[in-house]
Amino acid sequence: MALMDFIKKQFIDIIQWTEEGDGTLAWRFPMRDMEIQNGGTLVVRESQMAIFVNEGQVADVFTPGTYKLTTQTLPVLTYLKNWDKLFESPFKSDVYFFSTRQQIDQKWGTPQPITIRDKDFGAVRLRAFGNYAFRVADPKLFHTEISGTRESYPVADVEGQLRGLVLQNISNAIAGSGLPFLDLAANQVMFADALTKELAPVFAKIGLLIENLTVQNVSLPEELQKILDQKIGMGMVGNDMGKFMQYQTAQAIPKFAEGAGGGGGIAGDAMGLGAGVALGQVLAQNLQQGLQTPAASGAAAAAQAAAPLGVKPEDVMATLEKLGELKSKGILTQEEFDAKKAELLKKLV
């Protein structure tokens, strides 16, 4: 019976792995009813590494090359099997191959906005997404921590964990970069470098090396983006509230006229036209005040006192409502709001 078992066994001359496709990180050489002969050949191709595992314990690790299996090329296995001077042939051992190629275009992104501290805005919620590449750098560590004794281990089984690690370290990367949000959005390469620096030791703990991380977009949620746009508009006019209100009024004229004329027909058109003309008068007055020199401003003020312009109460109320919205969003201070309110109410006297 023992003789028949011996005859049935197949002796392995060459141990190698030819990858049939992408997406496999680890692969176990099939050893059922097979044993390795003394002097057998191990072929480890470029972009691969291999390890011998004896009774669950990792023995020898092989980098790319062709090896003749002897006690000299298997020193750890020789020690574990207590081979003294002679190589016992044949023998059994698990052999695992690992792909060390870059696994490219791995996606990452924030499913929900994350809150970070910011130098300019105090705290902001932002979204970001991009991609990255990684490779197996330490097959022994990856085998013991992740892939284990499975016949094969695909990229898909670890990508969820890696994506979570990226998201977990975004806040630390932003804090470490020292960049405010506006500079961060404009310098995505620096953000990517900071995030890679945070992730490198985390990936290394499971035998992986992160490479070529990219940040393709950094943005705010829509409601915060609108507030940022208004702040940018303030900055473009030198934080001059009068000029900013002129700009806001000009933007509001078409929408207000369109809304007022929504009733349809001649009457609706007249209402829309009237609203546009009324707001146009307010805008013209504000533009005139903004463009006048100090001397001309004094003359205009005297003329206005002599012959005040009639301003409709509903126009003043509409402007006050818009100012109230800006105050509630933090764009206007209470003092600025009160001053503008007092100025508008004087026009009704």
Side-chain angles (χ1 to χ4, degrees), residues 44-94:
V44 183
R45 290 175 167 79
E46 291 292 336
S47 74
Q48 292 180 355
M49 294 183 75
I51 62 173
F52 277 68
V53 179
N54 177 64
E55 298 179 355
Q57 186 174 356
V58 176
D60 299 280
V61 180
F62 292 88
T63 55
T66 300
Y67 302 89
K68 184 177 181 180
L69 301 178
T70 64
T71 53
Q72 285 74 32
T73 55
L74 293 167
V76 180
L77 189 63
T78 298
Y79 172 79
L80 293 176
K81 287 186 172 292
N82 295 316
W83 294 330
D84 188 10
K85 295 181 179 179
L86 297 178
F87 189 109
E88 294 186 10
S89 180
F91 71 95
K92 291 185 69 69
S93 177
D94 292 325

mmCIF file of all heavy atoms in Angstrom, residues 44-94:
data_model
loop_
_atom_site.group_PDB
_atom_site.id
_atom_site.type_symbol
_atom_site.label_atom_id
_atom_site.label_comp_id
_atom_site.label_asym_id
_atom_site.label_seq_id
_atom_site.Cartn_x
_atom_site.Cartn_y
_atom_site.Cartn_z
ATOM 1 N N VAL A 44 10.885 32.806 -9.796
ATOM 2 C CA VAL A 44 10.150 33.984 -9.326
ATOM 3 C C VAL A 44 10.368 35.088 -10.348
ATOM 4 O O VAL A 44 11.483 35.568 -10.521
ATOM 5 C CB VAL A 44 10.635 34.435 -7.936
ATOM 6 C CG1 VAL A 44 9.810 35.621 -7.447
ATOM 7 C CG2 VAL A 44 10.558 33.285 -6.937
ATOM 8 N N ARG A 45 9.304 35.461 -11.032
ATOM 9 C CA ARG A 45 9.428 36.438 -12.102
ATOM 10 C C ARG A 45 9.492 37.863 -11.547
ATOM 11 O O ARG A 45 9.170 38.119 -10.395
ATOM 12 C CB ARG A 45 8.250 36.296 -13.072
ATOM 13 C CG ARG A 45 8.311 35.010 -13.884
ATOM 14 C CD ARG A 45 7.074 34.835 -14.750
ATOM 15 N NE ARG A 45 7.283 33.767 -15.730
ATOM 16 C CZ ARG A 45 7.188 32.484 -15.464
ATOM 17 N NH1 ARG A 45 6.889 32.099 -14.218
ATOM 18 N NH2 ARG A 45 7.396 31.577 -16.396
ATOM 19 N N GLU A 46 9.910 38.780 -12.445
ATOM 20 C CA GLU A 46 9.879 40.189 -12.087
ATOM 21 C C GLU A 46 8.460 40.567 -11.688
ATOM 22 O O GLU A 46 7.492 40.084 -12.255
ATOM 23 C CB GLU A 46 10.340 41.057 -13.259
ATOM 24 C CG GLU A 46 11.815 40.924 -13.591
ATOM 25 C CD GLU A 46 12.706 41.486 -12.497
ATOM 26 O OE1 GLU A 46 12.214 42.357 -11.731
ATOM 27 O OE2 GLU A 46 13.872 41.074 -12.401
ATOM 28 N N SER A 47 8.326 41.463 -10.739
ATOM 29 C CA SER A 47 7.038 41.882 -10.168
ATOM 30 C C SER A 47 6.400 40.771 -9.348
ATOM 31 O O SER A 47 5.186 40.750 -9.170
ATOM 32 C CB SER A 47 6.056 42.374 -11.243
ATOM 33 O OG SER A 47 5.513 41.303 -12.000
ATOM 34 N N GLN A 48 7.229 39.812 -8.845
ATOM 35 C CA GLN A 48 6.727 38.763 -7.956
ATOM 36 C C GLN A 48 7.698 38.553 -6.791
ATOM 37 O O GLN A 48 8.880 38.930 -6.858
ATOM 38 C CB GLN A 48 6.577 37.419 -8.695
ATOM 39 C CG GLN A 48 5.496 37.378 -9.745
ATOM 40 C CD GLN A 48 5.418 36.010 -10.415
ATOM 41 O OE1 GLN A 48 6.230 35.125 -10.160
ATOM 42 N NE2 GLN A 48 4.432 35.841 -11.281
ATOM 43 N N MET A 49 7.169 37.969 -5.716
ATOM 44 C CA MET A 49 7.975 37.441 -4.635
ATOM 45 C C MET A 49 7.319 36.141 -4.189
ATOM 46 O O MET A 49 6.141 35.900 -4.478
ATOM 47 C CB MET A 49 8.088 38.426 -3.464
ATOM 48 C CG MET A 49 8.851 39.707 -3.801
ATOM 49 S SD MET A 49 9.055 40.838 -2.386
ATOM 50 C CE MET A 49 10.322 39.964 -1.474
ATOM 51 N N ALA A 50 8.103 35.271 -3.512
ATOM 52 C CA ALA A 50 7.572 33.977 -3.081
ATOM 53 C C ALA A 50 8.061 33.672 -1.673
ATOM 54 O O ALA A 50 9.135 34.120 -1.263
ATOM 55 C CB ALA A 50 7.999 32.873 -4.043
ATOM 56 N N ILE A 51 7.231 32.915 -0.939
ATOM 57 C CA ILE A 51 7.636 32.478 0.397
ATOM 58 C C ILE A 51 7.332 30.990 0.564
ATOM 59 O O ILE A 51 6.379 30.469 -0.021
ATOM 60 C CB ILE A 51 6.932 33.279 1.513
ATOM 61 C CG1 ILE A 51 5.415 33.070 1.457
ATOM 62 C CG2 ILE A 51 7.295 34.745 1.449
ATOM 63 C CD1 ILE A 51 4.673 33.702 2.625
ATOM 64 N N PHE A 52 8.161 30.293 1.333
ATOM 65 C CA PHE A 52 7.910 28.913 1.742
ATOM 66 C C PHE A 52 7.348 28.944 3.164
ATOM 67 O O PHE A 52 7.876 29.652 4.028
ATOM 68 C CB PHE A 52 9.203 28.090 1.707
ATOM 69 C CG PHE A 52 9.543 27.570 0.347
ATOM 70 C CD1 PHE A 52 9.919 28.427 -0.682
ATOM 71 C CD2 PHE A 52 9.481 26.208 0.074
ATOM 72 C CE1 PHE A 52 10.231 27.945 -1.936
ATOM 73 C CE2 PHE A 52 9.795 25.713 -1.181
ATOM 74 C CZ PHE A 52 10.163 26.586 -2.196
ATOM 75 N N VAL A 53 6.287 28.174 3.399
ATOM 76 C CA VAL A 53 5.638 28.119 4.706
ATOM 77 C C VAL A 53 5.648 26.678 5.188
ATOM 78 O O VAL A 53 5.142 25.773 4.505
ATOM 79 C CB VAL A 53 4.192 28.657 4.649
ATOM 80 C CG1 VAL A 53 3.531 28.560 6.023
ATOM 81 C CG2 VAL A 53 4.178 30.097 4.146
ATOM 82 N N ASN A 54 6.250 26.457 6.340
ATOM 83 C CA ASN A 54 6.340 25.108 6.901
ATOM 84 C C ASN A 54 5.444 25.007 8.131
ATOM 85 O O ASN A 54 5.696 25.673 9.142
ATOM 86 C CB ASN A 54 7.793 24.795 7.296
ATOM 87 C CG ASN A 54 7.911 23.431 7.962
ATOM 88 O OD1 ASN A 54 7.651 22.400 7.329
ATOM 89 N ND2 ASN A 54 8.292 23.417 9.235
ATOM 90 N N GLU A 55 4.405 24.200 8.028
ATOM 91 C CA GLU A 55 3.477 23.964 9.136
ATOM 92 C C GLU A 55 2.984 25.274 9.749
ATOM 93 O O GLU A 55 2.971 25.468 10.955
ATOM 94 C CB GLU A 55 4.137 23.092 10.207
ATOM 95 C CG GLU A 55 4.520 21.707 9.688
ATOM 96 C CD GLU A 55 5.203 20.860 10.745
ATOM 97 O OE1 GLU A 55 5.445 21.409 11.852
ATOM 98 O OE2 GLU A 55 5.476 19.687 10.481
ATOM 99 N N GLY A 56 2.591 26.217 8.859
ATOM 100 C CA GLY A 56 2.038 27.494 9.294
ATOM 101 C C GLY A 56 3.052 28.549 9.642
ATOM 102 O O GLY A 56 2.678 29.683 9.965
ATOM 103 N N GLN A 57 4.325 28.237 9.598
ATOM 104 C CA GLN A 57 5.367 29.199 9.944
ATOM 105 C C GLN A 57 6.130 29.611 8.694
ATOM 106 O O GLN A 57 6.623 28.752 7.943
ATOM 107 C CB GLN A 57 6.333 28.602 10.969
ATOM 108 C CG GLN A 57 7.367 29.597 11.482
ATOM 109 C CD GLN A 57 8.211 29.021 12.607
ATOM 110 O OE1 GLN A 57 7.971 27.900 13.047
ATOM 111 N NE2 GLN A 57 9.181 29.778 13.077
ATOM 112 N N VAL A 58 6.203 30.925 8.453
ATOM 113 C CA VAL A 58 6.894 31.419 7.265
ATOM 114 C C VAL A 58 8.378 31.117 7.380
ATOM 115 O O VAL A 58 9.016 31.422 8.388
ATOM 116 C CB VAL A 58 6.665 32.932 7.088
ATOM 117 C CG1 VAL A 58 7.462 33.458 5.901
ATOM 118 C CG2 VAL A 58 5.181 33.234 6.910
ATOM 119 N N ALA A 59 8.917 30.505 6.325
ATOM 120 C CA ALA A 59 10.338 30.142 6.307
ATOM 121 C C ALA A 59 11.106 31.109 5.409
ATOM 122 O O ALA A 59 11.362 32.254 5.796
ATOM 123 C CB ALA A 59 10.500 28.694 5.857
ATOM 124 N N ASP A 60 11.429 30.679 4.212
ATOM 125 C CA ASP A 60 12.294 31.471 3.337
ATOM 126 C C ASP A 60 11.477 32.367 2.406
ATOM 127 O O ASP A 60 10.406 31.994 1.931
ATOM 128 C CB ASP A 60 13.182 30.547 2.522
ATOM 129 C CG ASP A 60 14.090 29.701 3.410
ATOM 130 O OD1 ASP A 60 15.116 30.221 3.867
ATOM 131 O OD2 ASP A 60 13.730 28.531 3.668
ATOM 132 N N VAL A 61 12.028 33.558 2.143
ATOM 133 C CA VAL A 61 11.410 34.536 1.254
ATOM 134 C C VAL A 61 12.321 34.718 0.041
ATOM 135 O O VAL A 61 13.541 34.868 0.192
ATOM 136 C CB VAL A 61 11.209 35.885 1.966
ATOM 137 C CG1 VAL A 61 10.566 36.899 1.022
ATOM 138 C CG2 VAL A 61 10.355 35.701 3.221
ATOM 139 N N PHE A 62 11.723 34.699 -1.163
ATOM 140 C CA PHE A 62 12.511 34.769 -2.396
ATOM 141 C C PHE A 62 12.084 35.979 -3.217
ATOM 142 O O PHE A 62 10.897 36.211 -3.451
ATOM 143 C CB PHE A 62 12.315 33.499 -3.228
ATOM 144 C CG PHE A 62 12.908 32.269 -2.594
ATOM 145 C CD1 PHE A 62 12.148 31.511 -1.708
ATOM 146 C CD2 PHE A 62 14.204 31.884 -2.864
ATOM 147 C CE1 PHE A 62 12.683 30.384 -1.112
ATOM 148 C CE2 PHE A 62 14.750 30.751 -2.278
ATOM 149 C CZ PHE A 62 13.992 29.996 -1.392
ATOM 150 N N THR A 63 13.067 36.748 -3.657
ATOM 151 C CA THR A 63 12.857 37.867 -4.573
ATOM 152 C C THR A 63 12.975 37.351 -6.008
ATOM 153 O O THR A 63 13.279 36.173 -6.216
ATOM 154 C CB THR A 63 13.891 38.956 -4.304
ATOM 155 O OG1 THR A 63 15.211 38.390 -4.394
ATOM 156 C CG2 THR A 63 13.705 39.556 -2.912
ATOM 157 N N PRO A 64 12.741 38.184 -7.052
ATOM 158 C CA PRO A 64 12.813 37.696 -8.429
ATOM 159 C C PRO A 64 14.140 37.019 -8.749
ATOM 160 O O PRO A 64 15.222 37.473 -8.365
ATOM 161 C CB PRO A 64 12.623 38.966 -9.258
ATOM 162 C CG PRO A 64 11.785 39.841 -8.393
ATOM 163 C CD PRO A 64 12.258 39.576 -6.998
ATOM 164 N N GLY A 65 14.032 35.885 -9.445
ATOM 165 C CA GLY A 65 15.209 35.110 -9.835
ATOM 166 C C GLY A 65 14.849 33.645 -10.017
ATOM 167 O O GLY A 65 13.704 33.236 -9.802
ATOM 168 N N THR A 66 15.841 32.840 -10.394
ATOM 169 C CA THR A 66 15.674 31.387 -10.556
ATOM 170 C C THR A 66 16.571 30.698 -9.529
ATOM 171 O O THR A 66 17.771 30.976 -9.461
ATOM 172 C CB THR A 66 16.041 30.942 -11.977
ATOM 173 O OG1 THR A 66 15.183 31.630 -12.909
ATOM 174 C CG2 THR A 66 15.844 29.447 -12.148
ATOM 175 N N TYR A 67 15.989 29.787 -8.755
ATOM 176 C CA TYR A 67 16.699 29.179 -7.640
ATOM 177 C C TYR A 67 16.658 27.654 -7.751
ATOM 178 O O TYR A 67 15.613 27.072 -8.067
ATOM 179 C CB TYR A 67 16.055 29.600 -6.305
ATOM 180 C CG TYR A 67 16.008 31.096 -6.083
ATOM 181 C CD1 TYR A 67 14.915 31.840 -6.546
ATOM 182 C CD2 TYR A 67 17.030 31.756 -5.421
ATOM 183 C CE1 TYR A 67 14.860 33.213 -6.330
ATOM 184 C CE2 TYR A 67 16.977 33.123 -5.204
ATOM 185 C CZ TYR A 67 15.889 33.850 -5.663
ATOM 186 O OH TYR A 67 15.835 35.198 -5.462
ATOM 187 N N LYS A 68 17.802 27.031 -7.456
ATOM 188 C CA LYS A 68 17.856 25.581 -7.307
ATOM 189 C C LYS A 68 17.674 25.276 -5.824
ATOM 190 O O LYS A 68 18.411 25.780 -4.977
ATOM 191 C CB LYS A 68 19.201 25.039 -7.797
ATOM 192 C CG LYS A 68 19.294 23.528 -7.754
ATOM 193 C CD LYS A 68 20.629 23.048 -8.316
ATOM 194 C CE LYS A 68 20.699 21.523 -8.292
ATOM 195 N NZ LYS A 68 21.990 21.022 -8.826
ATOM 196 N N LEU A 69 16.660 24.478 -5.510
ATOM 197 C CA LEU A 69 16.269 24.257 -4.125
ATOM 198 C C LEU A 69 17.201 23.263 -3.448
ATOM 199 O O LEU A 69 17.161 22.060 -3.696
ATOM 200 C CB LEU A 69 14.814 23.772 -4.071
ATOM 201 C CG LEU A 69 13.800 24.750 -4.689
ATOM 202 C CD1 LEU A 69 12.402 24.171 -4.645
ATOM 203 C CD2 LEU A 69 13.844 26.095 -3.977
ATOM 204 N N THR A 70 18.070 23.779 -2.596
ATOM 205 C CA THR A 70 19.004 22.964 -1.826
ATOM 206 C C THR A 70 19.016 23.499 -0.393
ATOM 207 O O THR A 70 18.334 24.475 -0.077
ATOM 208 C CB THR A 70 20.426 23.044 -2.409
ATOM 209 O OG1 THR A 70 20.896 24.397 -2.301
ATOM 210 C CG2 THR A 70 20.445 22.629 -3.883
ATOM 211 N N THR A 71 19.793 22.887 0.458
ATOM 212 C CA THR A 71 19.888 23.376 1.831
ATOM 213 C C THR A 71 20.499 24.774 1.875
ATOM 214 O O THR A 71 20.256 25.538 2.813
ATOM 215 C CB THR A 71 20.752 22.418 2.673
ATOM 216 O OG1 THR A 71 22.010 22.220 2.002
ATOM 217 C CG2 THR A 71 20.053 21.093 2.863
ATOM 218 N N GLN A 72 21.281 25.136 0.858
ATOM 219 C CA GLN A 72 21.875 26.467 0.826
ATOM 220 C C GLN A 72 20.844 27.543 0.472
ATOM 221 O O GLN A 72 20.892 28.662 0.991
ATOM 222 C CB GLN A 72 23.035 26.525 -0.181
ATOM 223 C CG GLN A 72 24.314 25.849 0.283
ATOM 224 C CD GLN A 72 24.191 24.330 0.238
ATOM 225 O OE1 GLN A 72 23.481 23.781 -0.632
ATOM 226 N NE2 GLN A 72 24.848 23.642 1.172
ATOM 227 N N THR A 73 19.920 27.211 -0.415
ATOM 228 C CA THR A 73 18.915 28.199 -0.817
ATOM 229 C C THR A 73 17.687 28.186 0.086
ATOM 230 O O THR A 73 16.842 29.073 -0.006
ATOM 231 C CB THR A 73 18.472 27.950 -2.277
ATOM 232 O OG1 THR A 73 18.007 26.605 -2.405
ATOM 233 C CG2 THR A 73 19.615 28.200 -3.234
ATOM 234 N N LEU A 74 17.578 27.180 0.948
ATOM 235 C CA LEU A 74 16.455 27.096 1.888
ATOM 236 C C LEU A 74 16.976 26.992 3.323
ATOM 237 O O LEU A 74 16.708 26.024 4.041
ATOM 238 C CB LEU A 74 15.575 25.887 1.565
ATOM 239 C CG LEU A 74 14.790 25.927 0.245
ATOM 240 C CD1 LEU A 74 14.232 24.559 -0.082
ATOM 241 C CD2 LEU A 74 13.677 26.959 0.329
ATOM 242 N N PRO A 75 17.731 27.988 3.787
ATOM 243 C CA PRO A 75 18.362 27.857 5.106
ATOM 244 C C PRO A 75 17.350 27.812 6.253
ATOM 245 O O PRO A 75 17.512 27.039 7.202
ATOM 246 C CB PRO A 75 19.252 29.105 5.192
ATOM 247 C CG PRO A 75 18.619 30.082 4.256
ATOM 248 C CD PRO A 75 18.063 29.269 3.134
ATOM 249 N N VAL A 76 16.303 28.621 6.183
ATOM 250 C CA VAL A 76 15.323 28.639 7.269
ATOM 251 C C VAL A 76 14.520 27.354 7.288
ATOM 252 O O VAL A 76 14.286 26.760 8.351
ATOM 253 C CB VAL A 76 14.396 29.867 7.135
ATOM 254 C CG1 VAL A 76 13.367 29.882 8.265
ATOM 255 C CG2 VAL A 76 15.208 31.155 7.131
ATOM 256 N N LEU A 77 14.112 26.903 6.105
ATOM 257 C CA LEU A 77 13.353 25.649 6.024
ATOM 258 C C LEU A 77 14.208 24.471 6.490
ATOM 259 O O LEU A 77 13.729 23.553 7.163
ATOM 260 C CB LEU A 77 12.867 25.425 4.591
ATOM 261 C CG LEU A 77 11.873 24.277 4.394
ATOM 262 C CD1 LEU A 77 10.580 24.543 5.155
ATOM 263 C CD2 LEU A 77 11.568 24.082 2.914
ATOM 264 N N THR A 78 15.471 24.500 6.148
ATOM 265 C CA THR A 78 16.386 23.444 6.595
ATOM 266 C C THR A 78 16.454 23.404 8.117
ATOM 267 O O THR A 78 16.436 22.330 8.741
ATOM 268 C CB THR A 78 17.790 23.691 6.006
ATOM 269 O OG1 THR A 78 17.717 23.641 4.585
ATOM 270 C CG2 THR A 78 18.783 22.645 6.498
ATOM 271 N N TYR A 79 16.479 24.583 8.724
ATOM 272 C CA TYR A 79 16.525 24.646 10.178
ATOM 273 C C TYR A 79 15.210 24.154 10.786
ATOM 274 O O TYR A 79 15.207 23.383 11.759
ATOM 275 C CB TYR A 79 16.825 26.081 10.618
ATOM 276 C CG TYR A 79 16.713 26.299 12.099
ATOM 277 C CD1 TYR A 79 17.738 25.899 12.961
ATOM 278 C CD2 TYR A 79 15.581 26.900 12.641
ATOM 279 C CE1 TYR A 79 17.637 26.091 14.319
ATOM 280 C CE2 TYR A 79 15.469 27.090 14.010
ATOM 281 C CZ TYR A 79 16.499 26.685 14.840
ATOM 282 O OH TYR A 79 16.389 26.868 16.201
ATOM 283 N N LEU A 80 14.091 24.590 10.211
ATOM 284 C CA LEU A 80 12.792 24.209 10.771
ATOM 285 C C LEU A 80 12.538 22.715 10.660
ATOM 286 O O LEU A 80 11.906 22.101 11.528
ATOM 287 C CB LEU A 80 11.671 24.988 10.065
ATOM 288 C CG LEU A 80 11.637 26.501 10.312
ATOM 289 C CD1 LEU A 80 10.554 27.154 9.477
ATOM 290 C CD2 LEU A 80 11.410 26.801 11.793
ATOM 291 N N LYS A 81 13.025 22.103 9.595
ATOM 292 C CA LYS A 81 12.814 20.668 9.402
ATOM 293 C C LYS A 81 13.926 19.821 10.016
ATOM 294 O O LYS A 81 13.952 18.601 9.853
ATOM 295 C CB LYS A 81 12.686 20.363 7.891
ATOM 296 C CG LYS A 81 11.348 20.833 7.313
ATOM 297 C CD LYS A 81 11.209 20.373 5.878
ATOM 298 C CE LYS A 81 9.816 20.641 5.329
ATOM 299 N NZ LYS A 81 8.786 19.814 5.965
ATOM 300 N N ASN A 82 14.876 20.483 10.660
ATOM 301 C CA ASN A 82 15.970 19.772 11.336
ATOM 302 C C ASN A 82 16.801 18.918 10.379
ATOM 303 O O ASN A 82 17.245 17.836 10.731
ATOM 304 C CB ASN A 82 15.422 18.888 12.465
ATOM 305 C CG ASN A 82 14.781 19.722 13.571
ATOM 306 O OD1 ASN A 82 15.329 20.729 13.976
ATOM 307 N ND2 ASN A 82 13.617 19.286 14.023
ATOM 308 N N TRP A 83 16.949 19.449 9.144
ATOM 309 C CA TRP A 83 17.864 18.758 8.234
ATOM 310 C C TRP A 83 19.282 19.095 8.678
ATOM 311 O O TRP A 83 19.658 20.264 8.763
ATOM 312 C CB TRP A 83 17.654 19.218 6.787
ATOM 313 C CG TRP A 83 16.314 18.823 6.219
ATOM 314 C CD1 TRP A 83 15.570 17.739 6.534
ATOM 315 C CD2 TRP A 83 15.577 19.544 5.218
ATOM 316 N NE1 TRP A 83 14.419 17.709 5.804
ATOM 317 C CE2 TRP A 83 14.397 18.813 4.982
ATOM 318 C CE3 TRP A 83 15.802 20.718 4.490
ATOM 319 C CZ2 TRP A 83 13.437 19.213 4.057
ATOM 320 C CZ3 TRP A 83 14.865 21.112 3.572
ATOM 321 C CH2 TRP A 83 13.681 20.363 3.356
ATOM 322 N N ASP A 84 20.037 18.077 8.927
ATOM 323 C CA ASP A 84 21.391 18.303 9.420
ATOM 324 C C ASP A 84 22.325 18.638 8.265
ATOM 325 O O ASP A 84 22.683 19.776 8.013
ATOM 326 C CB ASP A 84 21.867 17.086 10.195
ATOM 327 C CG ASP A 84 23.190 17.341 10.895
ATOM 328 O OD1 ASP A 84 23.608 18.514 10.908
ATOM 329 O OD2 ASP A 84 23.778 16.398 11.418
ATOM 330 N N LYS A 85 22.695 17.633 7.543
ATOM 331 C CA LYS A 85 23.593 17.850 6.412
ATOM 332 C C LYS A 85 22.936 17.447 5.106
ATOM 333 O O LYS A 85 23.273 17.972 4.043
ATOM 334 C CB LYS A 85 24.883 17.048 6.605
ATOM 335 C CG LYS A 85 25.711 17.502 7.804
ATOM 336 C CD LYS A 85 26.978 16.678 7.920
ATOM 337 C CE LYS A 85 27.817 17.140 9.097
ATOM 338 N NZ LYS A 85 29.065 16.340 9.249
ATOM 339 N N LEU A 86 22.015 16.512 5.177
ATOM 340 C CA LEU A 86 21.421 15.993 3.952
ATOM 341 C C LEU A 86 20.048 16.616 3.722
ATOM 342 O O LEU A 86 19.275 16.812 4.658
ATOM 343 C CB LEU A 86 21.292 14.470 4.027
ATOM 344 C CG LEU A 86 22.613 13.704 4.137
ATOM 345 C CD1 LEU A 86 22.338 12.201 4.259
ATOM 346 C CD2 LEU A 86 23.501 13.984 2.926
ATOM 347 N N PHE A 87 19.761 16.930 2.520
ATOM 348 C CA PHE A 87 18.470 17.441 2.096
ATOM 349 C C PHE A 87 17.538 16.257 1.925
ATOM 350 O O PHE A 87 17.752 15.410 1.065
ATOM 351 C CB PHE A 87 18.629 18.198 0.759
ATOM 352 C CG PHE A 87 17.423 18.951 0.321
ATOM 353 C CD1 PHE A 87 17.412 20.331 0.353
ATOM 354 C CD2 PHE A 87 16.284 18.291 -0.154
ATOM 355 C CE1 PHE A 87 16.307 21.049 -0.079
ATOM 356 C CE2 PHE A 87 15.177 18.998 -0.578
ATOM 357 C CZ PHE A 87 15.183 20.380 -0.543
ATOM 358 N N GLU A 88 16.512 16.172 2.780
ATOM 359 C CA GLU A 88 15.573 15.061 2.675
ATOM 360 C C GLU A 88 14.678 15.272 1.474
ATOM 361 O O GLU A 88 13.968 16.270 1.383
ATOM 362 C CB GLU A 88 14.736 14.945 3.948
ATOM 363 C CG GLU A 88 15.549 14.571 5.167
ATOM 364 C CD GLU A 88 14.669 14.335 6.374
ATOM 365 O OE1 GLU A 88 13.435 14.282 6.206
ATOM 366 O OE2 GLU A 88 15.216 14.203 7.480
ATOM 367 N N SER A 89 14.707 14.373 0.546
ATOM 368 C CA SER A 89 13.957 14.506 -0.689
ATOM 369 C C SER A 89 13.129 13.246 -0.916
ATOM 370 O O SER A 89 13.626 12.131 -0.704
ATOM 371 C CB SER A 89 14.903 14.706 -1.867
ATOM 372 O OG SER A 89 14.200 14.825 -3.074
ATOM 373 N N PRO A 90 11.874 13.397 -1.327
ATOM 374 C CA PRO A 90 11.153 14.665 -1.522
ATOM 375 C C PRO A 90 10.610 15.193 -0.205
ATOM 376 O O PRO A 90 10.632 14.517 0.799
ATOM 377 C CB PRO A 90 10.032 14.261 -2.467
ATOM 378 C CG PRO A 90 9.753 12.840 -2.112
ATOM 379 C CD PRO A 90 11.077 12.221 -1.750
ATOM 380 N N PHE A 91 10.072 16.458 -0.238
ATOM 381 C CA PHE A 91 9.494 17.035 0.973
ATOM 382 C C PHE A 91 8.288 17.883 0.574
ATOM 383 O O PHE A 91 8.116 18.270 -0.572
ATOM 384 C CB PHE A 91 10.526 17.886 1.712
ATOM 385 C CG PHE A 91 10.863 19.180 1.020
ATOM 386 C CD1 PHE A 91 10.219 20.358 1.363
ATOM 387 C CD2 PHE A 91 11.831 19.216 0.008
ATOM 388 C CE1 PHE A 91 10.526 21.537 0.720
ATOM 389 C CE2 PHE A 91 12.139 20.398 -0.625
ATOM 390 C CZ PHE A 91 11.489 21.568 -0.278
ATOM 391 N N LYS A 92 7.428 18.187 1.552
ATOM 392 C CA LYS A 92 6.252 19.015 1.317
ATOM 393 C C LYS A 92 6.414 20.355 2.025
ATOM 394 O O LYS A 92 6.939 20.424 3.123
ATOM 395 C CB LYS A 92 4.976 18.325 1.818
ATOM 396 C CG LYS A 92 4.575 17.102 1.002
ATOM 397 C CD LYS A 92 3.247 16.532 1.453
ATOM 398 C CE LYS A 92 2.096 17.469 1.115
ATOM 399 N NZ LYS A 92 1.855 17.549 -0.331
ATOM 400 N N SER A 93 5.968 21.391 1.343
ATOM 401 C CA SER A 93 5.973 22.731 1.913
ATOM 402 C C SER A 93 4.991 23.585 1.118
ATOM 403 O O SER A 93 4.864 23.412 -0.094
ATOM 404 C CB SER A 93 7.366 23.358 1.867
ATOM 405 O OG SER A 93 7.339 24.686 2.361
ATOM 406 N N ASP A 94 4.285 24.475 1.806
ATOM 407 C CA ASP A 94 3.404 25.399 1.086
ATOM 408 C C ASP A 94 4.227 26.522 0.489
ATOM 409 O O ASP A 94 5.112 27.087 1.154
ATOM 410 C CB ASP A 94 2.359 25.988 2.040
ATOM 411 C CG ASP A 94 1.360 24.940 2.509
ATOM 412 O OD1 ASP A 94 1.019 24.051 1.703
ATOM 413 O OD2 ASP A 94 0.925 25.005 3.679
#
